[in-house]
Amino acid sequence: MTANTPDAGDGNTVHPSPATTSDGRLQRGVHPVVAEVTRRLAERSAASRSAYLERIAAAASEGPARGSLGCANLAHGFAACGVSDKLKLSGDVTPNLAIVSSYNDMLSAHQPLKDYPETIKAAVAEAGGVAQFAGGVPAMCDGITQGRAGMELSLFSRDVIAMATAVALSHDMFDGALMLGVCDKIVPGLLIGALSFGHLPVAFVPAGPMPSGLPNKDKARVRQQFAEGKVGRRELLQAESAAYHSPGTCTFYGTANSNQMLMEVMGLHLPGASFEQPGTPLREAFTAEAGRRVLGHTALGQHHTPIGEQVDERAIVNAVVALLATGGSSNHTLHLVAMAAAAGIELTWDDFASLSEVVPLLTRMYPNGAADVNQFHEAGGMAYLIGSLLDAGLLHEDVRTLMGGGLSQYRLAPRLDDGNLTWVDEVKESGDTSVLRGVEDPFAPDGGLRMLSGNLGRAVIKVSAVAPERHVVEAPAKVFGDQAELQAAFSAGELTGDFVAVVRFQGPRANGMPELHKLTPPLAVLQDRGQKVALVTDGRMSGASGKVPAAIHVSPEAKAGGPLAFVRDGDLIRLDATTGTLEVLADLSGREPAEATADSASGTGRELFAAMRGSVGPAEKGAGVFHL
C-alpha cells in the first residue's frame, strides 16, 4: 500500500489513521469530545481495523490485477472494447476504471445518471485511461413503497446492492471505480460493496436535486388535510405531483440528501458536487472530473488513494458530526454503523450520543424547517457548513479525500473558468441565516438526535423538529401490530385521550424494518387536537416523523424477544428525550410474549428474502446481514 501522501501541490500533510498511529496523535485544535470519541473508536476497533487493512493490502497488486488473468479470461474482459482500448488493456500501464450505476428511468433521482457513463468514459480516455461499465445495482424508492409490502424489501436492498457492487468489481479487471447512486439504501450499499475492494480508489458521483417545487410545508399541510378527510385523493395527488415534479433527488432533507452530504464530508465527492442540480454545465464538469481524479489515484497514478484507507476512524467521526449538525436522516444510525463495519470500524450509538451533546444544529431544512436543499445550497451549502465545523474543531481536517489531502479544500466554492472546473474562494458567510448558520450562532446547541435507553431497550429519537414541551410524554400504551392497525383505529375515531402508540413487530427480523411514514399524518392530527401522543416502534421513521416524538429502531426488537413483545394496552410508558430514557412503568414479568399479527412471509418478492430476515443483525449493529 502507498504512504499517506496528498496530491502534489496541495500543501497539506495527512497523518496515518488513529487505528495505525502508535502515539494516538490527533488533529491539533480538535474539540476534546471529538478527539475522545475518535480515540475511543480507534481503540475499540483496533483488531478489526487492522485485520481489514491487512486484507485489502493483500488484495493489492504491483500492477493491474488483470495482468494475472489467463489469456482467455482477459480476452473475455475486453472482448466488447474497441481496438484501441483492447491494446491498452492488454498491457500493464493503462488504468481501467469500473463504472457501477443505479440508473433507472422510473426514479427521478436516478434518471439523470443515464448519460454519465459516456461522459466519464470520454474524460478518462482523454486523460489516458479506460473506463468500462461494470454493472448495475437495483434502486428502489421508499417514497413509492411507503405503506406497501414492497417497503419490507427496502432495508435489505442495501445489502443486495452491496453484493451487486461486489459482483461488478469481482472480475479483477479494474484499478479504480466510480459509484453512481443517490438515494436511501443505494449509497450505503455502494459504499459497503466498494469497501470490500478497499485496495481500489473510488469516487461517488451524484446527480443532484430537482428544482424546487411545491414548498414542503404546503405538501405536509395537504397530507394532514387528507388524513383528516378535508381534501380528497385528487387534491393530494396534485400536491404531491407539484412537489415531486422532475428529474433529480426529492428536495426535502431525508435519507437521499443526507447521503449526498455524507459522501462530501467524507471526501468521496468532489467539493460542492452534492447539491448541484442535474443538467447544468457545472454538473457535467463534476462528473467528468470525478473520472479524472480516480484515474490519478490508482496504483498506476501518482497519488494512490485506496478507499479502504481513506474511510478511516476520522472520516467516520466526520460523517456523524455532519449528520448531527444538519439534522440529517435517522436512518444513518443504521447505515453509518453498517458502513463503518465494512471498513473494520465499530461505530456505536453511544458515539452518536456523545457527539450529539457538543455538535450544534446549523441548518433548518424540511422536516426540521421550511427550506429545501436547493435553498441550503444557495445559502453557502456544504462549503460554508464544512468551514464552520472545521473552524470550531468539530471536524478532523487531516483526512484523505478525492481532492488529495485535507478537508480544507472542501470549504472552497466550485466554478467553471473557461470551461475548466476549479475551486477558488472560501465561503465565509451564510447567504441565508434562516437556513444555514455558523457554529457561533446555531439554531440549537445540539444536533437533535438522541439515544434512549431503559427497560424497553435502546432506541433513537430525532427531536430537532419536536417542540420542547413534547420532549417528555408519559401516557398509557395503545399497542398495534402494524401501521395499518393504527390507521384503522384512527379512521374509526378510537384514538382518544393521551397515549403512546406502540407499533411492534416492525424490526428487521420481523418484516425487514419498513419505514412507517403513514403514521405521521394521523398522529400529527391528534397532537394538533391537543392530545399528548408519542410513537414507540422497532421499525423506522427516517427523519420525517417531524413534530411527533418518536422512539424508533427499538432494539432488541419484538421478534427477537425484546420487551416490546410483552407490552399490553394500558401499560404506562414514559418517553423522556431530556434524560434519554424509555421506560414501561409496569411489571412485565410472568407475561407471555405476543405474536406478530401480520404475514410478511410472501408476496411482492418477500419470500425471496426469508434468509435475510433470518440472519439479519439488530438495529444497533446496523441491521445488516453481513457479519464483518
Side-chain angles (χ1 to χ4, degrees):
M1 307 300 283
T2 62
N4 286 335
T5 55
D7 283 358
D10 64 11
N12 292 296
T13 300
V14 180
H15 304 305
S17 77
T20 58
T21 299
S22 60
D23 62 359
R25 180 179 48 178
L26 291 167
Q27 171 190 338
R28 185 177 181 183
V30 75
H31 191 285
V33 173
V34 174
E36 172 58 21
V37 171
T38 307
R39 184 203 63 77
R40 193 171 67 204
L41 181 59
E43 185 177 272
R44 183 191 313 129
S45 308
S48 55
R49 178 66 175 167
S50 178
Y52 172 77
L53 291 173
E54 289 176 6
R55 188 168 78 244
I56 65 172
S61 58
E62 294 300 322
R66 62 182 177 277
S68 64
L69 294 178
C71 292
N73 306 71
L74 185 57
H76 278 291
F78 59 51
C81 291
V83 174
S84 175
D85 284 351
K86 285 182 180 179
L87 289 173
K88 292 176 181 177
L89 296 181
S90 297
D92 59 2
V93 295
T94 302
N96 185 28
L97 305 184
I99 301 171
V100 181
S101 177
S102 59
Y103 163 74
N104 64 71
D105 63 11
M106 179 189 70
L107 303 182
S108 64
H110 300 89
Q111 188 268 354
L113 300 175
K114 177 182 179 182
D115 299 323
Y116 281 25
E118 295 309 312
T119 298
I120 292 167
K121 288 179 184 180
V124 169
E126 185 180 357
V130 177
Q132 293 180 293
F133 190 92
V137 301
M140 65 181 296
C141 176
D142 290 358
I144 297 174
T145 57
Q146 286 295 336
R148 311 288 299 176
M151 175 55 86
E152 297 184 12
L153 278 57
S154 175
L155 181 60
F156 291 139
S157 76
R158 182 193 71 193
D159 294 358
V160 171
I161 290 163
M163 291 186 284
T165 301
V167 169
L169 298 177
S170 66
H171 298 96
D172 285 335
M173 285 290 295
F174 305 111
D175 305 288
L178 295 107
M179 300 289 152
L180 281 52
V182 180
C183 289
D184 300 297
K185 318 308 169 295
I186 294 99
V187 167
L190 287 169
L191 182 53
I192 292 169
L195 286 168
S196 289
F197 292 78
H199 60 290
L200 300 177
V202 177
F204 278 71
V205 186
M210 65 178 67
S212 301
L214 181 73
N216 286 300
K217 62 179 181 179
D218 294 338
K219 175 191 67 179
R221 175 179 49 80
V222 176
R223 285 180 175 178
Q224 189 160 322
Q225 288 175 335
F226 180 77
E228 294 176 276
K230 294 179 178 179
V231 301
R233 177 181 170 85
R234 178 173 174 273
E235 290 83 1
L236 178 62
L237 183 57
Q238 286 178 337
E240 299 285 2
S241 299
Y244 311 120
H245 59 90
S246 69
T249 315
C250 305
T251 60
F252 69 91
Y253 192 53
T255 311
N257 287 314
S258 296
N259 281 340
Q260 305 316 301
M261 180 278 300
L262 290 174
M263 292 302 99
E264 186 159 338
V265 82
M266 292 175 74
L268 297 172
H269 277 178
L270 290 170
S274 296
F275 301 119
E276 179 67 22
Q277 291 179 6
T280 67
L282 188 55
R283 169 56 67 202
E284 185 170 355
F286 278 133
T287 302
E289 180 63 16
R292 289 189 286 264
R293 287 278 167 173
V294 174
L295 199 66
H297 289 179
T298 68
L300 296 173
Q302 296 181 351
H303 313 292
H304 189 200
T305 310
I307 189 173
E309 294 181 8
Q310 184 178 348
V311 179
D312 64 6
E313 296 88 347
R314 291 181 175 131
I316 293 297
V317 168
N318 283 353
V320 176
V321 166
L323 182 77
L324 295 167
T326 57
S329 172
S330 56
N331 271 326
H332 279 293
T333 60
L334 306 176
H335 298 324
L336 274 171
V337 171
M339 291 188 287
I345 299 169
E346 189 182 341
L347 182 68
T348 71
W349 284 358
D350 290 327
D351 297 324
F352 283 86
S354 296
L355 291 168
S356 185
E357 292 179 1
V358 299
V359 176
L361 181 66
L362 303 183
T363 73
R364 282 292 188 195
M365 290 181 281
Y366 185 84
N368 302 326
D372 64 20
V373 295
N374 290 317
Q375 292 166 283
F376 165 75
H377 188 57
E378 291 165 4
M382 293 300 299
Y384 181 76
L385 175 78
I386 288 172
S388 184
L389 291 170
L390 281 171
D391 289 343
L394 292 169
L395 290 177
H396 292 288
E397 197 282 333
D398 51 350
V399 292
R400 305 177 73 183
T401 74
L402 191 56
M403 296 293 286
L407 195 59
S408 290
Q409 294 163 101
Y410 283 71
R411 63 196 302 162
L412 303 178
R415 76 178 187 193
L416 288 178
D417 188 357
D418 292 331
N420 297 314
L421 181 61
T422 184
W423 289 266
V424 283
D425 299 325
E426 183 178 330
V427 181
K428 296 181 178 181
E429 294 183 0
S430 169
D432 186 347
T433 56
S434 71
V435 178
L436 175 62
R437 295 183 182 177
V439 172
E440 70 285 350
D441 182 31
F443 291 102
D446 62 57
L449 187 68
R450 299 174 189 170
M451 307 303 126
L452 305 175
S453 61
N455 61 11
L456 282 177
R458 301 252 289 168
V460 174
I461 184 169
K462 185 175 179 180
V463 296
S464 49
V466 178
E469 62 269 20
R470 298 188 178 116
H471 286 189
V472 179
V473 177
E474 185 176 308
K478 291 184 183 290
V479 182
F480 304 93
D482 59 25
Q483 60 183 334
E485 289 184 13
L486 188 150
Q487 287 176 300
F490 173 78
S491 298
E494 298 172 357
L495 301 182
T496 58
D498 298 342
F499 68 95
V500 174
V502 175
V503 184
R504 61 192 179 191
F505 295 104
Q506 303 300 301
R509 286 184 62 177
N511 62 352
M513 206 178 187
E515 289 185 348
L516 305 174
H517 290 321
K518 294 288 185 180
L519 299 179
T520 302
L523 291 175
V525 168
L526 298 175
Q527 184 172 267
D528 287 351
R529 290 176 182 171
Q531 295 173 239
K532 291 193 84 173
V533 298
L535 173 68
V536 175
T537 180
D538 47 11
R540 294 185 293 126
M541 285 288 284
S542 183
S545 53
K547 61 186 181 181
V548 177
I552 59 175
H553 306 174
V554 174
S555 182
E557 63 175 289
K559 181 69 173 179
L564 283 187
F566 298 86
V567 174
R568 295 176 180 169
D569 281 341
D571 287 344
L572 197 64
I573 290 180
R574 182 177 176 84
L575 185 164
D576 189 335
T578 61
T579 61
T581 55
L582 180 63
E583 302 276 350
V584 56
L585 307 180
D587 184 3
L588 305 184
S589 61
R591 295 184 183 180
E592 292 294 319
E595 296 290 334
T597 56
D599 180 15
S600 297
S602 62
T604 320
R606 288 176 291 180
E607 60 273 13
L608 303 177
F609 287 76
M612 299 185 86
R613 290 192 295 272
S615 63
V616 69
E620 195 168 358
K621 297 293 185 180
V625 300
F626 310 128
H627 303 289
L628 301 168

